[in-house]
Each structure stands twice: as structure tokens, then as C-alpha cells.
């Protein structure tokens, strides 16, 4: 299976319990990495929904199975994490599986999906791709704070894998990725480094003598170069110490300690001390780097724990940027909280100052009073004056058309009648 055949794996391709989302380029010469999604019926609360799927090329199928076995032994925050296949039963976890692709059968395994940022991207030393980089980027190097932080994390990762009888044999900036963290701006300025790619790793109890795999020549140890000469010298943990020393030198100075593989193999060549290229490096840190780059394995640190103890004795620079970010975050949060409390206070105050109608007995409706005139008693003379003197021919009541008719009232009796109200003046 060539790299061109791996290009046939396109998005939405089903690979076992996973579905391909997209492919990554330029990661590994023995396999290709794809971003994948766990299919709905295989999802589990303890399993991330998005994972990285590594599919081996045809000539490196056995190496991928061995790599999956190595990763299943590790449990360290600075080592990439592998996930078993979501089979949904209590059987023994299975980490590597075969799948039939359009080009044939191939092995794969799933691991955590990390960010695309790597230590190699932070370093801008001139490489074969230097023509693609801007000239202003050349010569850039990491701060002492980041260098110490990443170096301590990598030595901790090496200590863990060495305890599991595994040597990496491919320590380089391209195999150091960074894990995404929540609230990373409030944390340290040092990113969380994760050691990846154990494709050419070996088990110290069952070494694969003579199989070098695909390693980067600039980071090879002298023992690995000697093995290329078919002397079959057995490698051990000190080979990883040398490769880590090369990486540490590059982080501090922005350049490689050895320009080519011949300088690494030459026992008389000594790289330029880092302080000559960067005077701010402490003598203690320079001593650690030069000891890790010793050509003779017996002169190096014998274990990763020993190198980590030496790095812990180097004073750590103050992380001013992280402190400033925390102060800014606390100040911004305090101002926002103060504004919210002020707004709530004004709202409560406006509610308490608004007059509200008080509940009480309902007043009785007003009664309009009319004042009556006092009663006046009339004398007999007054009564006589009010009596009309008209004869019995007074006007009779009006008829239907409003005309007054004369004559005595019905019944033939003549009597005296009071005039209408209008004539009486009432």
C-alpha cells in the first residue's frame, strides 16, 4: 500500500466503527493519520466522539501492530493516548484491527485527536522547506521558560515509557504535539507537550536488531548510526537521551548541534556550546545539554529520571505573561460583576421608590342633598286671595289637540276649577 493508495480513503469512508472526516498530510512516513468520528451505534460516554485514526502503509503493517501494543502499556499525560475498539462487551480490549479497504486489507488503530500545533512549528530553523518560510522567521528560538517546561515534560514521558521497557528511537520536534487545554490563557505559558509516533520503537526485552525504520538523520544517536553500519549494536534508553539533547539544543539556540550525520558519527567532533550562541543560558543548563549530547553513552545521563532531576535544579524564569493574563482576567471579571451588581441595585431601588396604592375601606359614594323650603301656613285671607274670582265659565281641560273647550264638566254640575299651573304662577 503506497501513500497514493491511502489517498483513496476519502471523507465519509467507513472504517470499522469509525467514519472518516478528513485526512492529515505530512504526518509519518509509515502511516497516514485521519480525523475520524465514532459511528452513532458505537458511541460510549467514556469514548471521545472525535478520534485520530492511524492506517499503516503496506510495508509497515507489522510496525503499526507493535506500535499499538506499546501505546496500550502507557498511561501518562505527556504520552499520546490510544483507545480500544468500541466493541460494547467485557472482552479483552482490542487496540488494533484489520479492515478491508478499496486497495486491500490494512491495519489501523484509534488514538486521541491532538491539535495540529507541534514543536516543529515553533522552531523556525532553516530546513529543506526553508524556501517556503519568510526570512524574518529564521533564527527564532523558544524562551527559556518554554524550553525548560517542555524539556521537563519530555523527560517525564521518557521515564514512563522506559519503565514499560520501550525505547522510542525517534525523539524529534515533529513528534511532539500539544494538547488543547481549557482556559489555557489563564494557565502557564508552557504548552502541554505530548510525545507521539512510536512506529520504530522497540521493546528492550525483545529488541529488533537491525531494523532502523524511518528515522530523521539529524536526531539519530551515534549508536543508531553504528547500527546502520550493520554492527548490530544493541540500543538502550540512552539513545533517547541523546535525541532529546539534540531537541533541547535546538529549542535553546534555534539551530541543530550537528549539521549532518557525519558529524554525529565523528567521535572527535563537539558541537558549539549553547552559551556562545545565546549568552542568557545558565551554565547549569548548558552543562545538561552538553552531557546529553555526549558521543559515548556512558558519559550521558543514564536514565531519564536523572536528567529530569538535573533540569529541576535549573531556576525557572518568571512567567510574566501568564501572570498578566490572570490579572487582566480577574480585573475584567471584577468590573463586569460590579456593573451587574450596580444595575441590579438601581433596579431594586427604582422598584422600592415607586408609590403603591394602599388597601383600605372603600369610601361610600357621595349623596346629593336637596334643601327643602320651610313650610308656610296660610291665613284665611291669603287663601281667599288665592281663590279665583272667575265665574263658572272657566276653561275646561284641553282636548286632544291642545285646545281648551268651555262649558260645564260632564255630569251637568257646575263647579269651580283651578286654573292650569301656568295660570297659577307655579
Amino acid at each position: 500500500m503506497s501513500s497514493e493508495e491511502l489517498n483513496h480513503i476519502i471523507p465519509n469512508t467507513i472504517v470499522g466503527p469509525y467514519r472518516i472526516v478528513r485526512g492529515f498530510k505530512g504526518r509519518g512516513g509509515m502511516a497516514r493519520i485521519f480525523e475520524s468520528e465514532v459511528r452513532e451505534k458505537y458511541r460510549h460516554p467514556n469514548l471521545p466522539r472525535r478520534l485520530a485514526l492511524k492506517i499503516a502503509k503496506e510495508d509497515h503493517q507489522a510496525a503499526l501492530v507493535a506500535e499499538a501494543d506499546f501505546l496500550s502499556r502507557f498511561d501518562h499525560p505527556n504520552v499520546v493516548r490510544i483507545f480500544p475498539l468500541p466493541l460494547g462487551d467485557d472482552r479483552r480490549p482490542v487496540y488494533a484491527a484489520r479492515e478491508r479497504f478499496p486497495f486491500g486489507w490494512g491495519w489501523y488503530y484509534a488514538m486521541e485527536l491532538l491539535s495540529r500545533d507541534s514543536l516543529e512549528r515553533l522552531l523556525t530553523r532553516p530546513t529543506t522547506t526553508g524556501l517556503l518560510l519568510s526570512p524574518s522567521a529564521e533564527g527564532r528560538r523558544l524562551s527559556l521558560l518554554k524550553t525548560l517546561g517542555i524539556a521537563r515534560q519530555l523527560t517525564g514521558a521518557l521515564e514512563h515509557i522506559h519503565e514499560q521497557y520501550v525505547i522510542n528511537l525517534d525523539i524529534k520536534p515533529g513528534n511532539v504535539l500539544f494538547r488543547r487545554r481549557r482556559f489555557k490563557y489563564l494557565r502557564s505559558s508552557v504548552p502541554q507537550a505530548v510525545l507521539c509516533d512510536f512506529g520504530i520503537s522497540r521493546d528492550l526485552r525483545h529488541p529488533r536488531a537491525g531494523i532502523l525504520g524511518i528515522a530523521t538523520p539529524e536526531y539519530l544517536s551515534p549508536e543508531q548510526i553504528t547500527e546502520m553500519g550493520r554492527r548490530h549494536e544493541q540500543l538502550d534508553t540512552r539513545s533517547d537521551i541523546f535525541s532529546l539533547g539534540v531537541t533541547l539544543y535546538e529549542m535553546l539556540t534555534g539551530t541543530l548541534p550537528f549539521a549532518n550525520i557525519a558529524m554525529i558519527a565523528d567521535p572527535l567532533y563537539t558541537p558549539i556550546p549553547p552559551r556562545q550562541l545565546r549568552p542568557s543560558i545558565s551554565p547549569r543548563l548548558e552543562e545538561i545539554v552538553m552531557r546529553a549530547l555526549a558521543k559515548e553513552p556512558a558519559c550521558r545521563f543514564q536514565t531519564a529520571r536523572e536528567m529530569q532531576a538535573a533540569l529541576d535544579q535549573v531556576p525557572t524564569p518568571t512567567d510574566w505573561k501568564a501572570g498578566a493574563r490572570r490579572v487582566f482576567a480577574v480585573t475584567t471579571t471584577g468590573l463586569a460583576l460590579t456593573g451587574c451588581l450596580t444595575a441590579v441595585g438601581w433596579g431594586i431601588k427604582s422598584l422600592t421608590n415607586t408609590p403603591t396604592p394602599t388597601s383600605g375601606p372603600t369610601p361610600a359614594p357621595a349623596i346629593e342633598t336637596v334643601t327643602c323650603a320651610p313650610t308656610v301656613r296660610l291665613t284665611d285671607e291669603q287663601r281667599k286671595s288665592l281663590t279665583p274670582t272667575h265665574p263658572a265659565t272657566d276653561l275646561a281641560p284641553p282636548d286632544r289637540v291642545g285646545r281648551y273647550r268651555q262649558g260645564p264638566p260632564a255630569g251637568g254640575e257646575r263647579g269651580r276649577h283651578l286654573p292650569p299651573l301656568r295660570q297659577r304662577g307655579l
Side-chain angles (χ1 to χ4, degrees), residues 114-260:
L114 299 170
S115 65
R116 302 190 65 179
D117 294 332
S118 65
L119 181 58
E120 185 177 26
R121 289 194 173 190
L122 295 182
L123 299 173
T124 55
R125 62 174 177 82
T127 60
T128 54
T129 60
L131 296 178
L132 302 179
L133 301 177
S134 59
S136 60
E138 297 182 2
R140 181 180 174 185
R141 52 205 177 190
L142 299 187
S143 64
L144 296 179
L145 175 67
K146 286 186 177 181
T147 301
L148 278 174
I150 295 175
R152 289 167 179 168
Q153 295 179 55
L154 293 180
T155 52
L158 288 182
E159 178 184 357
H160 177 74
I161 68 173
H162 293 166
E163 291 176 350
Q164 305 300 323
Y165 306 101
V166 177
I167 52 177
N168 184 275
L169 299 180
D170 197 16
I171 305 294
K172 62 180 181 180
N175 289 338
V176 179
L177 303 182
F178 299 125
R179 181 179 286 121
R180 298 185 182 95
R181 296 184 298 174
R182 295 182 178 179
F183 306 105
K184 62 180 181 179
Y185 292 105
L186 300 180
R187 298 172 181 262
S188 172
S189 299
V190 180
Q192 186 176 9
V194 180
L195 184 61
C196 307
D197 198 348
F198 290 78
I200 63 174
S201 300
R202 301 185 186 181
D203 192 325
L204 293 174
R205 298 169 297 183
H206 311 286
R208 296 180 297 173
I211 302 180
L212 179 63
I214 303 176
T216 306
E218 292 88 348
Y219 301 92
L220 291 175
S221 65
E223 307 93 271
Q224 290 176 279
I225 299 176
T226 302
E227 187 182 59
M228 291 176 60
R230 300 188 180 183
R231 296 184 185 180
H232 300 290
E233 183 176 352
Q234 186 171 347
L235 305 178
D236 56 20
T237 59
R238 294 173 294 184
S239 180
D240 287 343
I241 299 296
F242 183 90
S243 300
L244 181 58
V246 177
T247 304
L248 181 56
Y249 187 99
E250 186 176 3
M251 287 191 292
L252 288 172
T253 63
T255 59
L256 287 169
F258 306 100
N260 52 61

Side-chain angles (χ1 to χ4, degrees), residues 34-68:
F34 296 87
E35 181 181 351
S36 64
E37 182 181 28
V38 181
R39 296 164 61 186
E40 187 173 359
K41 65 178 181 179
Y42 294 103
R43 291 174 185 172
H44 191 272
N46 297 329
L47 184 67
R49 184 173 178 178
R50 293 292 180 97
L51 296 170
L53 207 65
K54 188 170 186 178
I55 304 177
K57 298 179 182 179
E58 184 178 7
D59 298 336
H60 305 286
Q61 298 289 317
L64 186 135
V65 176
E67 182 181 9

